[in-house]
Amino acid sequence: MAREIDRKLRLTAALLGTVTRKDLAAAFRRVNPATAFDVERASKWLQGRARPREQQVYEDWAKLVDLGRAGAWIAECDSEAFLDALCARHQRDPDTLRRHADGADGPAGHHHEHDVSLAGIYACYSHAWSPYFRGRLIRGALAIVPAAQRLSASYAETLPTGRMQVDGPVTISKRALLMDLRDQGGMQFLFCLFPPTPPVSVLAGFMCGATIIGPHAQPSVTRIAMVRLPAASARLRDTDAYLPAQGSVAGDLAGLGVSVASPDLADRHMNAFLAGGQGGGLDQIAADAYAALLEVFDRTWLTAAAG
């Protein structure tokens, strides 16, 4: 007996970053071009007024969320078991995913135009901050979803020390797209990006924070480019975030489902963007430079206080 279909579809939409029923239907078509999941019937399913009768819909759904479970389980499980499985498989925070599903109107097409164009999954490329991976690029995953009256974002990296994820709001102004993303342990990253323009195939700008892997926590800023993916990819979650030395971004994107027409041209432009500027696209403050500055002005302060 199929149950809580509306709730589980909203959780699926939150996981994938889809906004409208049309987006969700397109995600189903990517796993099965002949799927019986269509926009018109999805409206009733999301409102809880009906549920899919064709077993193939549930099989397509199982492929879409990639839980290693059969379609029958997708149909019969309750929404909390479904949420637990989604979070375990895709390493997502259950409270965040639940909030995205609850706060949004769901994939019904009632959001602002910029919400619809921005929402999705992005592969993010920037300079590695860790001194152990100096000169390498690192790949992150960004998910932007509608939540309540605004957009919400999750940024994650699969590191040798484990998966790192930060969450927070998205603010769009005429001059910039801003994200202030944090985790419960106090880790924080700030993003200042160019204002998005349709069809939002790429976002780019600066990412600021502190090193995670290394002997010292160094304040760091890097250029970052975020390429929108046609669908969520398990490879973003399962593979090491650090690209090989001299690795091709276009080649990496091909493994994520983005077929770049001119890979060499894409790599040249990506490298020119990421490595631009006097600092080569990366700026970090060395701990010894900061210590020297501290010594000078601590002594000055203490001398003045003693006098």
Side-chain angles (χ1 to χ4, degrees), residues 190-204:
L190 303 174
F191 297 80
C192 181
L193 310 177
F194 284 99
T197 56
V200 196
S201 63
V202 66
L203 299 170

Side-chain angles (χ1 to χ4, degrees), residues 115-304:
D115 291 353
V116 175
S117 63
L118 268 176
I121 307 296
Y122 297 79
C124 309
Y125 299 93
S126 62
H127 295 278
W129 291 348
S130 170
Y132 306 131
F133 297 92
R134 186 74 68 209
R136 304 259 296 269
L137 294 181
I138 187 170
R139 181 209 317 108
L142 178 74
I144 298 180
V145 300
Q149 301 302 312
R150 66 188 308 173
L151 294 171
S152 179
S154 297
Y155 176 80
E157 293 173 355
T158 302
L159 303 174
T161 53
R163 187 170 175 81
M164 179 279 296
Q165 180 174 320
V166 287
D167 307 283
V170 177
T171 301
I172 305 171
S173 70
K174 292 182 179 180
R175 294 184 177 274
L177 187 156
L178 304 170
M179 296 183 290
D180 181 358
L181 310 184
R182 314 179 185 200
D183 70 1
Q184 295 180 348
M187 188 182 301
Q188 181 177 11
F189 294 92
L190 303 174
F191 297 80
C192 181
L193 310 177
F194 284 99
T197 56
V200 196
S201 63
V202 66
L203 299 170
F206 287 113
M207 173 185 177
C208 180
T211 52
I212 299 172
I213 302 176
H216 306 287
Q218 293 179 263
S220 307
V221 63
T222 176
R223 293 190 180 196
I224 187 168
M226 307 167 166
V227 180
R228 191 175 184 179
L229 302 183
S233 171
R235 189 168 179 269
L236 276 177
R237 177 192 65 248
D238 296 337
T239 59
D240 183 18
Y242 293 103
L243 268 62
Q246 308 302 320
S248 165
V249 170
D252 190 68
L253 286 169
L256 298 171
V258 178
S259 180
V260 180
S262 302
D264 291 342
L265 180 64
D267 278 336
R268 284 201 301 272
H269 285 303
M270 180 67 75
N271 292 335
F273 175 83
L274 291 177
Q278 294 182 352
L282 172 67
D283 190 16
Q284 291 182 297
I285 303 173
D288 55 354
Y290 179 55
L293 194 66
L294 275 177
E295 183 177 358
V296 169
F297 287 97
D298 280 354
R299 290 181 183 276
T300 301
W301 179 270
L302 292 170
T303 299

